[in-house]
Amino acid sequence: MRQLALHWQILIGMVAGTLLGVGLNLFAGTRDVTITQGLPPGIESAHVVDTSALTQISYQPEGQPQVTRVIDPLTRTPGVAKSVESLLPLDPIAYQIYQSHGVSLAKQVGAWCKRLGGLFLRMLQMVAVPLIVTSLTTGILGLGGGQGVGRMFRRTLLYYLVTSFLAICTGLLMVNLIRPGLGGAVPPAGAAD
């Protein structure tokens, strides 16, 4: 059986990954659940709403008012966690409820794929770094003496200087033509965080 070319395999993988991600976010990206069993001691009930944009965890301690925690990566409101990891020091009970009962299927699959992708990248680095070092060493040794290395060094330095000069000239020309930042409103001092 004939094998598909690498570029077709990559394209099929990208399309399959995109469809899987969009499908999970559309059909399994939201979880809205009320929990009464398996909660930490002293908690009567909990309610978790987990979407791709925002997560809200509400729980009712025995004899106390309801506590609500929000995870929103885009907010700057004090007391709102930017990630699940930043929720742990803020409210360990809400973190435990979310981890055991509230994570949507899309986020579970996303976390698993992230671990798998991290493993793949570490394995790739484990192979690539020794391969590059070996290739460079073999190339330098193949130049034959100091004369070949000196010639390669001069060419490399000249290439670096010419490309840097061209990049600087292009940047200066574009900045003077486009003039980014002019004409916009300047925020008053102290308005930034």
Side-chain angles (χ1 to χ4, degrees):
M1 183 172 171
R2 208 174 115 203
Q3 189 176 5
L4 238 51
L6 180 62
H7 62 277
W8 288 112
Q9 292 177 19
I10 292 171
L11 180 65
I12 291 169
M14 289 174 59
V15 169
T18 302
L19 291 176
L20 177 68
V22 169
L24 278 171
N25 276 324
L26 287 176
F27 301 113
T30 302
R31 180 171 168 93
D32 187 348
V33 63
T34 301
I35 308 128
T36 56
Q37 301 291 323
L39 291 168
I43 305 298
E44 292 176 2
S45 65
H47 183 81
V48 178
V49 178
D50 186 26
T51 65
S52 59
L54 180 76
T55 301
Q56 183 174 346
I57 304 139
S58 303
Y59 62 91
Q60 180 74 43
E62 292 177 359
Q64 295 180 15
Q66 179 174 324
V67 177
T68 301
R69 295 291 180 201
V70 176
I71 302 171
D72 184 4
L74 302 177
T75 190
R76 292 187 177 187
T77 307
V80 174
K82 289 194 172 286
S83 67
V84 177
E85 292 78 22
S86 64
L87 178 65
L88 180 59
L90 185 67
D91 191 343
I93 294 172
Y95 177 83
Q96 183 180 356
I97 291 169
Y98 177 73
Q99 291 293 54
S100 59
H101 301 287
V103 183
S104 68
L105 179 63
K107 286 186 181 176
Q108 289 174 6
V109 171
W112 183 78
C113 289
K114 185 176 180 180
R115 282 193 297 273
L116 189 64
L119 175 67
F120 173 74
L121 287 176
R122 286 193 302 273
M123 289 171 58
L124 193 60
Q125 288 171 345
M126 183 180 73
V127 170
V129 171
L131 184 65
I132 291 170
V133 169
T134 305
S135 297
L136 287 174
T137 304
T138 306
I140 289 173
L141 290 175
L143 289 174
Q147 197 174 30
V149 174
R151 186 171 43 241
M152 184 181 71
F153 177 75
R154 283 191 298 276
R155 286 182 183 171
T156 304
L157 189 61
L158 179 67
Y159 178 78
Y160 173 74
L161 291 173
V162 168
T163 56
S164 295
F165 177 75
L166 290 174
I168 291 169
C169 289
T170 304
L172 287 172
L173 178 70
M174 295 309 287
V175 162
N176 286 319
L177 285 177
I178 297 173
R179 300 202 159 296
L182 293 181
V186 177
D193 277 355

